[in-house]
Amino acid sequence: MYLPSWLSQLYRGLSRPIRRTTQPIWGSLSRSLVLSSQRRNPEFSSFVVRTNTCGELRSSHLGQEVTLCGWIQYRRQNTFLVLRDFHGLVQVIIPQDESAASVRKILCEAPMESVVQVSGTVISRPAGQENPKMPTGEIEIKVKTAELLNACKKLPFEIKDFMKKTEALRLQYRYLDLRSFQMQYNLRLRSQMVMKMRDYLCNLHGFVDIETPTLFKRTPGGAKEFLVPSREPGKFYSLPQSPQQFKQLLMVGGLDRYFQVARCYRDEGSRPDRQPEFTQIDIEMSFVDQTGIQSLIEGLLQYSWPNDKDPVVVPFPSMTFAEALATYGTDKPDTRFGMKIIDISDVFRNTEIRFLQDALSKPHGTVKAICIPEGAKYLKRKDIESIRKFSADHFDQEILPVFLNTNRNWNSPVANFIMESKRPELIRLMETQEEDVVLLTAGEHNKACSLLGKLRLECADLLETRGVVLRDPTLFSFLWVVDFPLFLPKEENPRELESAHHPFTAPHPSDIHLLYTEPKKVRSQHYDLVLNGNEIGGGSIRIHNAELQRYILATLLKEDVKLLSHILQALDYGAPPHGGIALGLDRLICLVTGSPSIRDVIAFPKSFRGHDLMSNTPDSIPPEELKPYHIQVSWPTDSKAAKAH
Ligand code: ASP
């Protein structure tokens, strides 16, 4: 490969000898984070006063003089204490002889969670007193000197992973919560994965890590953006929802493989497991097609995947949007378990049952069902009632539970009737067994599928709370969802169109002609990556033709093209064909670590309501400080906020 000399110099500087090593970060957690790297083991004690970390000491260190720094985790009978750092725990013997009275005083009097520095010798524990559960359990430290670096006041909660504490309290004292092994594990694993991603992208595949502005301008469509006032009257910046426009402009600029660990902002209000600011692994490439992006991402995940998990198997399976909706009722199917949606319209073509007949006579009318394995055993009558209520309240749909076991005396008369005549056909189509329950609904295809998709997940959760194992917790099930529609009807006004992904997404090559006749039918070159039923990434091949981009923006989406004149102009100056993707890093790490919430993989997250409970953000600003921005708060007359002010 020919490289200009400045470039070959740059890459020579980056390449390192390859040596494969693994090292546990701490072993006191039952599962250990295995650091794998093609580089040397990290040096945890360089440049600092300690010689070793608390968690690393073993019998091989016997006799060594060490200096350790850590927090006091336990103290027992003023004879020994356990010192903790990120790496683990180590037992320290408190000297009892008179000559060490000052050391004893420090170690006996320092409150729990005080931070101390001790120096001493690594000795073996007396025979029979080893602790096999503790990785440092064969040794202890015979202390010679000790220093109280800083005392700890009475804590709002104990720093022990098993201690239950409310999330609000954890967020208020986040700096203490971060001391837990779980948070340490999550953040260190995150750092490791990002490091390996950088390595894969930049060192193995020649990507360039480029920062893009976070003070930008409002863009049409998509999520709501945060505004930032400027000192020019009436003018505002916007925080970007993603670096989408910049990464495309970088392609026009010839930086043909871009990547960034990018901070994105969306003012979407409170939604479970969303954050107003979050991180994407943002990627764009020139001269690429959908398969190229997909292979890149499969390789990226395989390369950066933690070694203590089952390896990622590639290529990932792929499913069209239409198939995902029809089979799983969602565009992000959890494919770890079955309970698929089955179309049973044909069974009921000549039915006398009124509501089924009505549904089937309408356009796109269908009868669909899912089968809940052993539902008769695990679902209670009140579960079925709440399923029916949910369906009526949220989807305006009726759900018919059909028990195959005819002994169930709480079958509805209609269900019994169905059972009589349709039993063999239903059993054949749904592959049901004696103790299963069929949930049946009739109506318009998309609506019936969406409802059953929701019920499928609800029932899976219910069965699992009752002890049925449906989803293997160690399984990571990746899936590409492809061939999305290019446009969807706007929620507020279904006669108008909005982009299903974003307005820069290219139409499917075989559907381009439909743009001018039946735009609703156009499929796009947009792909989503789904992991265990969660969307963890999405991207597309972009439009690189200014005329087509202008037509879609102005004519089909009715957007103000002036706002995007810079990008339209750029496309006219020899913009290369390009495409990209963004992975939601927070959600990915959340799934990899099995955390209950994305807040558990972010050092300083916002609360569900978008507040930083530690610093009380957002906060009010005195009116005189708003003056330079030419803005003034108009207080809602009856709001709590006004009263609080
Ligand atoms: N910018 C897009 C998003 O944030 C991802 C992409 O199309 O590359 O969803």
Side-chain angles (χ1 to χ4, degrees):
M1 175 178 62
Y2 167 77
L3 286 179
S5 64
W6 63 270
L7 198 54
S8 59
Q9 212 171 344
L10 184 66
Y11 281 88
R12 214 172 313 127
L14 287 175
S15 62
R16 296 260 169 86
I18 290 182
R19 182 148 71 92
R20 201 173 179 82
T21 51
T22 57
Q23 154 149 0
I25 275 207
W26 61 74
S28 44
L29 271 183
S30 54
R31 61 199 168 121
S32 68
L33 167 63
V34 179
L35 282 179
S36 80
S37 164
Q38 296 191 323
R39 307 237 164 90
R40 290 178 298 115
N41 284 340
E43 191 55 76
F44 288 121
S45 298
S46 43
F47 315 116
V48 294
V49 291
R50 70 173 178 225
T51 57
N52 297 80
T53 59
C54 297
E56 78 177 293
L57 298 173
R58 300 284 184 277
S59 295
S60 56
H61 295 89
L62 281 178
Q64 285 188 17
E65 295 296 318
V66 295
T67 296
L68 307 175
C69 296
W71 287 264
I72 301 177
Q73 172 108 355
Y74 303 110
R75 181 169 35 228
R76 286 196 200 101
Q77 297 139 14
N78 287 347
T79 53
F80 58 85
L81 53 81
V82 173
L83 213 56
R84 184 199 70 237
D85 63 13
F86 76 92
H87 204 155
L89 306 168
V90 69
Q91 182 161 297
V92 170
I93 303 294
I94 303 176
Q96 301 298 320
D97 41 315
E98 245 345 279
S99 60
S102 61
V103 173
R104 193 169 67 237
K105 188 167 156 48
I106 290 170
L107 296 181
C108 291
E109 289 180 4
M112 288 299 113
E113 286 303 314
S114 296
V115 62
V116 296
Q117 179 180 328
V118 298
S119 296
T121 318
V122 182
I123 57 170
S124 50
R125 293 198 190 185
Q129 288 185 25
E130 300 88 352
N131 181 352
K133 289 201 198 118
M134 214 169 155
T136 61
E138 290 186 350
I139 58 102
E140 53 195 8
I141 310 297
K142 188 166 185 278
V143 178
K144 292 198 185 93
T145 62
E147 189 183 336
L148 176 64
L149 298 175
N150 211 346
C152 179
K153 281 198 176 153
K154 190 174 166 4
L155 291 163
F157 52 80
E158 275 191 70
I159 316 292
K160 305 224 166 67
D161 286 43
F162 58 83
M163 291 301 291
K164 286 230 171 351
K165 43 223 166 226
T166 63
E167 195 180 32
L169 197 65
R170 288 178 56 202
L171 292 181
Q172 189 185 346
Y173 295 95
R174 190 54 156 186
Y175 43 87
L176 292 178
D177 187 46
L178 292 176
R179 287 188 194 171
S180 69
F181 277 147
Q182 190 61 60
M183 285 305 299
Q184 292 273 328
Y185 173 86
N186 293 352
L187 295 180
R188 284 166 194 276
L189 180 131
R190 180 179 175 132
S191 159
Q192 280 297 309
M193 278 189 77
V194 170
M195 179 57 80
K196 288 204 251 172
M197 285 180 180
R198 279 185 201 283
D199 191 26
Y200 177 85
L201 290 169
C202 296
N203 297 341
L204 298 189
H205 292 287
F207 279 74
V208 190
D209 181 351
I210 303 175
E211 289 157 84
T212 54
T214 56
L215 286 179
F216 191 41
K217 71 184 278 180
R218 205 167 57 81
T219 44
K224 278 228 164 52
E225 289 163 348
F226 284 100
L227 291 180
V228 181
S230 83
R231 285 166 193 267
E232 287 179 50
K235 300 233 167 137
F236 292 81
Y237 298 102
S238 226
L239 300 181
Q241 25 180 310
S242 80
Q244 186 60 40
Q245 292 184 43
F246 290 109
K247 64 176 175 172
Q248 291 193 235
L249 293 170
L250 286 169
M251 297 304 112
V252 184
L255 284 143
D256 66 354
R257 288 169 172 238
Y258 144 91
F259 123 87
Q260 180 181 193
V261 181
R263 188 54 64 87
C264 306
Y265 305 86
R266 293 184 193 172
D267 189 6
E268 293 180 323
S270 318
R271 292 227 222 146
D273 259 16
R274 295 259 174 128
Q275 284 278 304
E277 53 179 317
F278 60 98
T279 308
Q280 288 185 341
I281 301 293
D282 197 39
I283 289 172
E284 196 76 10
M285 289 167 94
S286 294
F287 317 114
V288 73
D289 62 8
Q290 183 163 317
T291 330
I293 299 277
Q294 289 176 338
S295 305
L296 171 85
I297 293 300
E298 288 164 358
L300 174 74
L301 287 165
Q302 201 171 38
Y303 188 83
S304 58
W305 205 244
N307 280 8
D308 61 347
K309 312 258 177 273
D310 287 345
V312 170
V313 179
V314 300
F316 302 153
S318 179
M319 190 182 284
T320 65
F321 168 80
E323 199 184 339
L325 187 68
T327 320
Y328 295 95
T330 172
D331 58 359
K332 39 179 188 292
D334 187 342
T335 44
R336 286 172 300 173
F337 67 104
M339 285 168 61
K340 293 181 188 171
I341 301 168
I342 312 272
D343 193 311
I344 49 171
S345 306
D346 286 345
V347 181
F348 297 100
R349 287 277 171 231
N350 305 314
T351 184
E352 290 149 35
I353 304 166
R354 203 41 200 274
F355 92 99
L356 300 181
Q357 220 178 49
D358 281 356
L360 284 173
S361 65
K362 297 206 174 100
H364 307 291
T366 55
V367 182
K368 308 228 175 226
I370 53 171
C371 171
I372 317 293
E374 298 192 279
K377 199 156 120 200
Y378 292 106
L379 295 185
K380 305 196 172 101
R381 188 176 193 141
K382 75 169 191 346
D383 299 326
I384 299 284
E385 275 158 18
S386 67
I387 285 172
R388 299 185 80 166
K389 183 164 175 349
F390 171 86
S391 312
D393 293 352
H394 296 272
F395 286 80
D396 194 20
Q397 284 274 129
E398 203 171 322
I399 279 281
L400 204 61
V402 181
F403 287 82
L404 294 196
N405 182 340
T406 40
N407 299 331
R408 288 271 147 182
N409 56 10
W410 42 284
N411 255 345
S412 68
V414 185
N416 282 333
F417 183 81
I418 293 174
M419 283 314 306
E420 287 301 305
S421 54
K422 308 290 184 189
R423 188 184 166 99
E425 263 176 286
L426 261 185
I427 292 180
R428 185 181 57 80
L429 271 175
M430 307 282 309
E431 297 178 6
T432 45
Q433 315 221 340
E434 184 77 359
E435 285 294 305
D436 296 351
V437 174
V438 170
L439 297 181
L440 182 154
T441 194
E444 191 266 327
H445 172 82
N446 287 0
K447 202 165 159 193
C449 289
S450 303
L451 167 62
L452 289 178
K454 282 252 158 31
L455 296 182
R456 172 178 177 268
L457 293 175
E458 287 291 318
C459 291
D461 286 346
L462 259 177
L463 292 188
E464 285 188 334
T465 58
R466 308 218 162 120
V468 182
V469 182
L470 276 179
R471 292 168 281 205
D472 175 353
T474 63
L475 194 71
F476 289 95
S477 181
F478 288 98
L479 175 76
W480 289 110
V481 178
V482 299
D483 290 356
F484 279 80
L486 188 58
F487 306 111
L488 291 173
K490 258 193 191 157
E491 244 171 61
E492 336 62 273
N493 179 2
R495 280 212 302 267
E496 287 182 14
L497 296 178
E498 64 185 7
S499 303
H501 186 41
H502 53 58
F504 312 111
T505 304
H508 199 288
S510 35
D511 291 354
I512 291 188
H513 61 286
L514 294 172
L515 273 176
Y516 307 94
T517 51
E518 292 176 283
K520 274 190 191 158
K521 289 203 174 148
V522 177
R523 289 165 304 158
S524 69
Q525 296 192 63
H526 158 198
Y527 30 83
D528 268 356
L529 182 59
V530 175
L531 172 56
N532 295 353
N534 299 275
E535 183 198 323
I536 58 155
S540 55
I541 299 303
R542 325 297 183 188
I543 299 166
H544 66 281
N545 173 301
E547 204 185 314
L548 178 60
Q549 183 68 80
R550 193 172 289 114
Y551 174 73
I552 288 185
L553 282 167
T555 312
L556 297 180
L557 296 171
K558 316 243 179 305
E559 294 289 3
D560 178 0
V561 281
K562 281 205 293 299
L563 288 172
L564 289 166
S565 54
H566 53 284
I567 204 159
L568 288 169
Q569 209 173 36
L571 293 183
D572 261 336
Y573 289 119
H578 59 285
I581 190 165
L583 297 182
L585 183 66
D586 309 297
R587 204 169 289 163
L588 173 65
I589 304 291
C590 178
L591 291 167
V592 172
T593 55
S595 301
S597 149
I598 57 166
R599 293 183 290 280
D600 290 326
V601 299
I602 300 172
F604 297 102
K606 304 280 185 289
S607 71
F608 177 68
R609 292 188 52 223
H611 290 187
D612 175 353
L613 301 181
M614 185 179 65
S615 64
N616 188 27
T617 307
D619 207 354
S620 38
I621 300 281
E624 58 282 10
E625 283 181 35
L626 287 177
K627 271 201 187 127
Y629 302 103
H630 312 278
I631 54 176
Q632 162 182 350
V633 178
S634 81
W635 291 98
T637 41
D638 57 347
S639 81
K640 274 190 193 153
K643 280 177 204 145
H645 200 66

